[in-house]
């Protein structure tokens, strides 16, 4: 059956800021406590969506979550009116207020792991929201994310939205950022590739030493089981521990896949040759030919990959059949990475074109083009069952652009999180947004 890959980008929320919350994510730490521009951030993300929609890609949008999260602040003991809760948190526990205020749900590659219906035992598209248990500001996302996904993919005959795995170190799950699917065509059964950083019960000491590994093998296997994937069509691979220590906190910082192609760094996985063999053998059983485009360390180092986000790119099949690589501006600013990209036209790879985007506001928190999108492969009937209000077209772009212009600040510094007015502004904005997207009452304050 014919199917398409749709990309659902996270709309950057009104509280976008730099709080240095993600130890192990180099950009987040480097920009800690600098002032952010939420309006520019949201517009940069929206412009990416619009340009890809204009090029003929199926492009949807996922709404931001309500931030600051009063639920978190009340759960950790702050009481009184909403304004009093924020003022007390700002005075007594600014780090908790920062966690409650993060707009981190914009990185929808971490929203969930998604398996297309061609791969699952019950023939439905399966979603498992990621528990993101490694970081407090992210661990509070999954219930609200599930609510948004359920409002968008509401047809239970076609879509199965699981609950997140229990949020505990043994089952740390970061969603699609550590998951890729290989296939010959989107609509036929594919090989699902799960990448983890450590194993809770069978790791035998192979773990990073400096930075945390956020995803466990146990979580990856649990998601594959929940989705009803078959053993002959799944591959599990471990990241090299020392690249996590170099800042590769998710696999999508060092590898990206599309159809039969894996574009990755030479130092992405343990036993990389055996990983390629497994992918190749399993894809061949399904009639596909695996193709790895590996970038050697002596052309682009792991440090170059981390600072430029070369592999946090989107590899997309354009409607005319060409394969397009969507990279952030920072790739042009790193001489070695720019040279590699320029050389692509002279190499016989399957990448036909490179598109460059300014996503600087998101990049300063460690979120490139691939972080900002959740891929969902859908056949025609599934595509028709998606809540139609989330597809980006000229009309929705215009409405969202005007909405951002009206409701977003152009400067948000760490001290501004103490302002209870930000909550009121954010709620007013999200209330209008639910009307624009037609999703019903998805936020707690609307209930
Ligand atoms: O989880 N940054 C996010 C970036 C997520 C990128 N996603 C993918 N690679 N798919 C994270 O580390 C920083 C927030 C702050 O410091 O204010 C943050 O959460």
């Amino acid at each position: 059956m014919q199917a398409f890959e749709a990309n659902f980008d996270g709309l950057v929320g009104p509280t976008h800021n730099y709080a240095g919350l993600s130890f192990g994510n180099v950009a987040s730490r480097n920009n800690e406590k600098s002032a952010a521009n939420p309006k520019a951030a949201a517009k940069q993300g929206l412009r990416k969506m619009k340009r890809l929609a204009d090029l003929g890609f199926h492009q949807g949008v996922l709404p931001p979550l309500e931030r600051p999260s009063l639920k978190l602040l009340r759960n950790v003991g702050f009481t009184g009116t909403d304004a009093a809760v924020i003022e007390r948190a700002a005075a007594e526990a600014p780090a908790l207020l920062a966690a409650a205020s993060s707009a981190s749900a914009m990185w929808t590659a971490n929203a969930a792991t998604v398996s297309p219906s061609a791969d699952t035992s019950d023939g439905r598209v399966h979603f498992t929201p990621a528990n993101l248990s490694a970081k407090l500001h992210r661990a509070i996302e999954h219930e609200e994310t599930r609510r948004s996904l359920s409002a968008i993919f509401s047809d239970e005959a076609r879509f199965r939205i699981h609950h997140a795995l229990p949020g505990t170190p043994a089952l740390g799950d970061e969603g699609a950022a550590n998951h890729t699917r290989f296939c010959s065509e989107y609509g036929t059964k594919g090989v699902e590739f799960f990448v983890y950083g450590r194993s809770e019960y069978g790791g035998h000491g192979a773990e990073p030493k400096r930075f945390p590994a956020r995803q466990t093998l146990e979580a990856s296997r649990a998601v594959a089981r929940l989705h009803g994937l078959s053993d002959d069509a799944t591959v599990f691979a471990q990241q090299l521990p020392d690249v996590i220590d170099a800042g590769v906190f998710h696999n999508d910082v060092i590898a990206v896949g599309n159809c039969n192609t894996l574009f990755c760094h030479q130092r992405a996985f343990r036993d990389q040759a055996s990983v390629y063999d497994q992918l190749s053998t399993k894809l061949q059983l399904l009639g596909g030919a695996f193709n790895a485009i590996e970038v050697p360390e002596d052309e682009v180092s792991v440090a170059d990959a981390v600072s430029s986000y070369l592999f946090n790119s989107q590899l997309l099949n354009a409607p005319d059949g060409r394969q397009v690589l969507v990279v952030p501006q920072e790739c042009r600013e790193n001489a070695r990475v720019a040279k590699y990209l320029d050389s692509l036209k002279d190499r016989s790879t399957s990448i036909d074109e490179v598109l460059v985007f300014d996503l600087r506001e998101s990049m300063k928190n460690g979120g490139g083009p691939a972080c900002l999108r959740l891929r969902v492969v859908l056949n025609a009937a599934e595509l028709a069952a998606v809540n139609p209000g989330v597809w980006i077209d000229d009309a929705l772009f215009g409405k969202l652009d005007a909405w951002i212009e009206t409701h977003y600040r152009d400067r948000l510094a760490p001290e501004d999180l103490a302002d209870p007015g930000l909550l009121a502004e954010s709620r007013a904005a999200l209330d209008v947004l639910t009307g624009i997207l037609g999703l019903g009452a998805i936020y707690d304050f609307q209930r």
Side-chain angles (χ1 to χ4, degrees):
M1 199 182 303
Q2 211 197 350
F4 313 86
E5 178 184 280
N7 281 267
F8 291 84
D9 279 43
L11 188 55
V12 177
T15 61
H16 162 67
N17 73 96
Y18 301 121
L21 298 172
S22 279
F23 177 63
N25 166 345
V26 179
S28 154
R29 274 300 169 97
N30 285 349
N31 294 298
E32 181 174 1
K33 305 277 185 269
S34 60
N37 182 337
K39 183 178 282 184
K43 290 201 172 199
Q44 287 166 1
L46 185 62
R47 275 198 292 270
K48 170 164 92 82
M49 297 184 227
K50 172 71 162 65
R51 186 155 162 220
L52 293 178
D54 285 348
L55 288 169
F57 296 103
H58 294 275
Q59 180 67 59
V61 60
L62 295 181
L65 305 182
E66 185 197 345
R67 295 291 180 267
S69 167
L70 266 289
K71 184 175 174 199
L72 171 64
L73 295 175
R74 292 188 185 282
N75 279 346
V76 295
F78 295 109
T79 54
T81 61
D82 290 346
V85 164
I86 288 170
E87 277 157 12
R88 278 194 54 206
E92 294 171 31
L96 290 180
L97 178 61
S101 303
S102 178
S104 53
M106 65 203 259
W107 299 298
T108 54
N110 306 116
T113 305
V114 185
S115 295
S117 54
D119 299 354
T120 62
S121 53
D122 67 359
R124 290 189 283 176
V125 182
H126 283 241
F127 298 74
T128 297
N131 60 30
L132 299 171
S133 63
K135 308 283 172 202
L136 173 60
H137 68 294
R138 308 226 55 186
I140 58 173
E141 292 176 24
H142 65 85
E143 276 181 30
E144 294 155 83
T145 298
R146 185 171 188 275
R147 214 180 287 158
S148 299
L149 292 175
S150 302
I152 295 168
F153 304 98
S154 57
D155 181 350
E156 291 178 12
R158 301 188 191 281
F159 305 118
R160 174 83 201 273
I161 322 258
H162 297 273
H163 287 276
L165 300 175
T168 184
L171 292 175
D173 176 23
E174 300 278 319
N178 291 326
H179 172 258
T180 305
R181 173 179 187 257
F182 297 100
C183 57
S184 34
E185 282 173 31
Y186 292 125
T188 56
K189 185 171 172 171
V191 176
E192 297 206 15
F193 181 43
F194 291 85
V195 182
Y196 59 94
R198 69 179 189 93
S199 167
E200 175 83 358
Y201 302 114
H204 311 297
E207 289 191 19
K209 297 185 173 57
R210 183 173 171 221
F211 291 146
R214 298 196 199 180
Q215 177 93 31
T216 67
L217 170 62
E218 290 78 5
S220 299
R221 286 203 181 277
V223 171
R225 256 190 311 273
L226 285 168
H227 293 196
L229 306 181
S230 53
D231 286 345
D232 58 1
T234 45
V235 173
F236 298 87
Q238 186 177 359
Q239 280 185 275
L240 276 179
D242 61 320
V243 301
I244 296 179
D245 281 338
V248 183
F249 59 99
H250 289 136
N251 179 59
D252 69 2
V253 176
I254 200 143
V256 58
N258 175 51
C259 282
N260 68 340
T261 301
L262 171 66
F263 175 53
C264 69
H265 193 269
Q266 179 186 8
R267 303 192 60 245
F269 313 109
R270 280 184 87 191
D271 302 326
Q272 194 140 326
S274 139
V275 172
Y276 294 166
D277 276 352
Q278 292 176 62
L279 289 170
S280 178
T281 306
K282 292 192 175 180
L283 193 57
Q284 203 167 13
L285 285 174
L286 298 172
F290 177 68
N291 163 38
I293 306 174
E294 185 183 277
V295 180
E297 173 78 21
D298 60 10
E299 286 189 59
V300 173
S301 67
V302 172
D304 290 328
V306 170
S307 64
S308 69
Y309 265 37
L310 170 62
F311 300 100
N312 198 260
S313 45
Q314 292 177 255
L315 199 49
L316 302 169
N317 281 357
D320 62 7
R322 287 166 326 117
Q323 192 162 233
V324 174
L325 189 73
V326 171
V327 301
Q329 182 79 43
E330 285 73 1
C331 287
R332 299 289 343 158
E333 290 158 10
N334 177 308
R336 283 172 300 277
V337 172
K339 188 172 169 209
Y340 177 82
L341 287 173
D342 289 339
S343 76
L344 275 174
K345 57 182 180 318
D346 305 320
R347 301 176 191 236
S348 56
T349 71
S350 54
I351 299 172
D352 301 302
E353 191 183 348
V354 177
L355 295 178
V356 183
F357 285 85
D358 174 6
L359 296 165
R360 226 174 274 284
E361 284 285 321
S362 170
M363 284 288 287
K364 285 173 70 181
N365 254 337
C371 300
L372 285 161
R373 64 93 165 94
L374 182 67
R375 292 186 280 190
V376 186
V377 166
L378 299 162
N379 63 33
E382 291 156 357
L383 205 60
V386 174
N387 188 319
V390 296
W391 295 117
I392 296 288
D393 56 16
D394 287 349
L396 183 56
F397 170 78
K399 284 183 200 163
L400 292 176
D401 193 53
W403 171 80
I404 295 165
E405 190 57 44
T406 306
H407 293 279
Y408 280 54
R409 298 187 187 188
D410 58 14
R411 186 175 194 280
L412 199 61
E415 59 275 14
D416 297 327
L417 300 181
D419 172 11
L422 189 59
L423 173 68
E425 277 170 45
S426 179
R427 283 183 174 164
L430 298 181
D431 213 24
V432 175
L433 180 67
T434 43
I436 295 174
L437 298 179
L439 294 179
I442 54 169
Y443 296 109
D444 280 325
F445 70 87
Q446 295 173 322
R447 286 161 183 243

